[in-house]
Amino acid sequence: MTGHILTVREPAGPPIDLTGVLPGRLAGDGAGVTVICGRERHPLDALFDIRDGGPSGSLILRPEGAVLDAVGAGMAEGEILVEGDCGDQAGRAMRGGTLIVEGRCGAHAAAAMQGGRLMVAGDAGDFLGAPLPGGTKGMGGGTVTVGGSAGDRVGERMRRGLVTIQGNVGALCCARMIAGTVVVGGGCGPEPAAAMRRGTFLLCRAPDPPPTGFVDGGENDWLFLELLRRELRVHGSWPAGFPVAGTRARRLIGDRSAGGRGELLILSEA
Amino acid sequence: MRLNGVLIEETFAEAFPMLGTRLIVTADSPAWVQAAAVSMTGFATSVIGCGCEAAVERLLPPEETPDGRPGAAVLLFSVSREELAKQVVRRVGQCVMTSPGSACYAGLRDGPPIPLGNSLRYFGDGWQIAKRIGGRRYWRIPVMDGEFLCEATTAVVEGVGGGNFIILAADRHAALVAAQAAVMAIREVPGAILPFPGGVVRSGSKIGSKYKGLIASTNTAFCPTLRPAVHSLVPEGVGSILELVIDAVNPQAITAAMRAGIAATAGLGAAAGVVAVTAGNYGGKLGRHQFHLHEVMA
């Protein structure tokens, strides 16, 4: 029993929505499975060359330059490897398994994600780990790793889970966050953690200007940072610019203007 | 059976199922680990009077603890999951959380959970923070020296309580030397603890008493001073007797601990005043587990 390798036949077409194309759901040649491309639904094998390959329970996608939306949407188990870029909503409402993107991914990646692991080697778009469009609940579990930078509103309304970004993030990172952890290796854009209720935003560079609505709790040792560092190092996602030892960080508490008890932790050099 | 001139009697130790858990306590230095762990395992010699039996299983170097600091593995046993949960929360809350710089983690993964930080978190008065790291949940509770980090739950396993053997020696000095040798050996066995002071019991008990209301009383059959006056099991030439009581996470650990302890005792030999080794039982009527000395030492 092997997995499947799907290669796009006509890369120049409109975006392909891969909702429902998941590891283990494809039997044999993928007969009976349809996907939406543009405004029409097509048989999967009309748009993809489907071959057996890869480990059992896995799915390898070769976009060949096409835009693939909703890769891994609702995935509960198995592994998807995207040998290129993803479109929007990668890992949408994902519950388990692993989604690996070797390139970049678009907006709303990990939107309303509940579990599993999303690993993006390149950049991610806006609304990473945020609610689905029109929704009110952000990421509720799972782990997201981004090797590059991410756009605006990362972790908005996030409720649980861990997001790690090696590079920079845009505006309103962790806005209206309820719980969970966001780790940013680079800088952050305007209004970080606006209206944050709870949760942790961990970074190495203090936001400039300092976020309004936050009070400075001073420096202290935070033992859980050692556990977090060990966990992220296992997966190679502890940001390169972060200290390799020590648990000392400055803590800003807020957003007090929203009655929040969240925290911005700004790591100190060991 | 004789080992090095020491008689190993053909009898068995009778032991009982108990529910147990392992906790990992860490702190900034070995001294503060000791302070927390010793306090936490204080007054925990017997479930009859203390609610649980507990002791430090072993000290842990920084590379073996979750947070890279010095630590100790502590085992706690009780008769029911409810009582164990109560004892764990009381002892961690009063003895570990109060100790400067401490943190507390679950030392067992498999088994039904009982609350740890999930109960203690309320001390944070709303400022506590939950964190899930590596699939495990922790509570960060603000305290006066910073933050107390505590895992949310710990797992319970069905262990064994009351494994034992009894050292019969010529005099009190010889008995104590033999017992201390056994304690040193048993402390090297993973998964086993000796809950009594220094690992040794000098007041072994029998069931019942001439006095109403007492469920246990001194083990007259093993009191050398009563030998001429009661139905005694003290052989000629024995002037002092000490017992080692062992709790463990499984029967295999009890066996390993008894073997190590008896071997260390017998290793001193008859020349050191060790006369015999026997074990405590109730005729096999009460305990689910029987550890026959000859099988243990085979």
Side-chain angles (χ1 to χ4, degrees):
Chain A
M1 180 92 180
T2 65
H4 291 86
I5 301 173
L6 276 62
T7 307
V8 174
R9 294 181 190 275
E10 295 291 338
I16 303 169
D17 186 330
L18 287 182
T19 301
V21 179
L22 297 171
R25 291 258 190 104
L26 298 180
D29 58 358
V33 177
T34 60
V35 292
I36 296 172
C37 178
R39 301 178 68 177
E40 295 177 357
R41 186 170 283 278
H42 301 270
L44 185 65
D45 59 359
L47 300 177
F48 290 88
D49 171 50
I50 304 173
R51 293 181 186 174
D52 290 341
S56 177
S58 72
L59 182 62
I60 298 173
L61 296 172
R62 293 177 175 157
E64 308 290 347
V67 177
L68 303 181
D69 289 340
V71 175
M75 182 161 82
E77 59 184 358
E79 181 178 304
I80 299 178
L81 170 66
V82 183
E83 295 180 346
D85 296 340
C86 268
D88 293 343
Q89 300 190 13
R92 181 189 74 203
M94 191 173 161
R95 290 179 287 131
T98 304
L99 170 56
I100 303 168
V101 182
E102 291 187 342
R104 298 174 299 170
C105 66
H108 290 288
M113 181 178 181
Q114 296 298 314
R117 179 176 290 273
L118 167 60
M119 294 187 281
V120 182
D123 296 335
D126 297 338
F127 300 103
L128 176 70
L132 286 164
T136 58
K137 292 181 179 176
M139 186 172 159
T143 304
V144 176
T145 305
V146 176
S149 294
D152 296 340
R153 294 181 179 268
V154 171
E156 183 176 26
R157 291 184 187 255
M158 186 171 164
R159 305 170 76 84
R160 280 197 188 93
L162 172 63
V163 176
T164 307
I165 296 150
Q166 294 287 329
N168 303 316
V169 291
L172 291 162
C173 184
C174 301
R176 295 189 283 184
M177 187 177 185
I178 293 166
T181 305
V182 173
V183 179
V184 173
C188 63
E191 297 293 332
M196 183 186 208
R197 297 266 301 279
R198 278 181 176 268
T200 301
F201 182 10
L202 176 66
L203 62 172
C204 206
R205 294 184 215 157
D208 187 19
T212 55
F214 279 73
V215 292
D216 193 340
E219 281 202 357
N220 213 318
D221 286 305
W222 310 97
L223 195 55
F224 87 99
L225 291 177
E226 181 59 32
L227 274 60
L228 184 63
R229 171 170 27 228
R230 287 170 176 229
E231 171 64 15
L232 294 183
R233 276 184 164 178
V234 169
H235 303 288
S237 54
W238 180 251
F242 276 18
V244 295
T247 56
R248 200 146 185 89
R250 186 171 139 230
R251 187 193 199 204
L252 309 180
I253 303 168
D255 183 339
R256 303 302 293 157
S257 62
R261 295 182 175 189
E263 61 182 0
L264 268 74
L265 286 177
I266 302 155
L267 284 166
S268 312
E269 286 298 328
Chain B
M1 176 189 282
R2 281 195 180 272
L3 293 176
N4 208 16
V6 176
L7 174 67
I8 311 297
E9 291 192 1
E10 188 169 357
T11 185
F12 61 92
E14 193 169 352
F16 306 86
M18 291 181 88
L19 294 173
T21 190
R22 178 187 285 125
L23 300 177
I24 307 296
V25 177
T26 68
D28 293 332
S29 68
W32 282 112
V33 170
Q34 284 275 11
V38 168
S39 176
M40 178 192 177
T41 56
F43 189 58
T45 55
S46 167
V47 287
I48 297 170
C50 310
C52 75
E53 298 178 8
V56 174
E57 180 187 12
R58 68 187 182 103
L59 297 177
L60 301 173
E63 56 271 20
E64 289 187 35
T65 63
D67 57 26
R69 304 188 302 166
V74 175
L75 289 174
L76 299 97
F77 295 90
S78 193
V79 292
S80 70
R81 194 171 155 189
E82 293 72 25
E83 183 63 26
L84 183 64
K86 190 168 82 177
Q87 291 290 331
V88 163
V89 168
R90 279 185 180 173
R91 288 169 182 272
V92 175
Q94 297 300 317
C95 306
V96 180
M97 186 165 68
T98 54
S99 181
S102 66
C104 188
Y105 308 98
L108 293 171
R109 297 284 155 265
D110 300 325
I114 55 172
L116 185 59
N118 276 352
S119 290
L120 296 170
R121 64 178 160 139
Y122 296 108
F123 187 72
D125 201 24
W127 290 96
Q128 68 274 22
I129 298 171
K131 277 281 160 271
R132 182 173 287 277
I133 301 172
R136 294 161 69 171
R137 195 163 189 244
Y138 303 89
W139 282 100
R140 299 166 50 199
I141 302 168
V143 287
M144 294 195 307
D145 76 345
E147 196 169 74
F148 174 55
L149 183 63
C150 188
E151 195 154 347
T153 60
T154 183
V156 175
V157 294
E158 186 172 308
V160 180
N164 69 82
F165 63 92
I166 298 169
I167 300 167
L168 295 81
D171 54 39
R172 203 159 67 84
H173 176 73
L176 195 55
V177 169
Q180 285 174 320
V183 167
M184 296 290 284
I186 291 172
R187 284 186 175 156
E188 298 297 318
V189 177
I193 57 166
L194 299 157
F196 282 89
V200 187
V201 188
R202 69 110 174 242
S203 59
S205 59
K206 68 176 183 297
I207 295 173
S209 164
K210 69 172 281 190
Y211 300 106
K212 284 182 183 175
L214 275 186
I215 58 172
S217 60
T218 191
N219 195 348
T220 48
F222 279 106
C223 288
T225 55
L226 300 180
R227 188 158 67 92
V230 299
H231 173 66
S232 181
L233 296 175
V234 181
E236 190 74 36
V238 170
S240 184
I241 297 173
L242 291 173
E243 182 177 359
L244 281 89
V245 175
I246 306 162
D247 298 334
V249 293
N250 55 45
Q252 293 77 21
I254 293 273
T255 301
M258 287 177 65
R259 184 185 302 124
I262 293 170
T265 297
L268 297 174
V274 183
V275 176
V277 174
T278 186
N281 63 62
Y282 308 95
K285 295 174 184 170
L286 296 179
R288 190 197 296 173
H289 301 281
Q290 294 181 6
F291 299 93
H292 292 260
L293 299 189
H294 286 193
E295 291 176 11
V296 165
M297 299 309 295

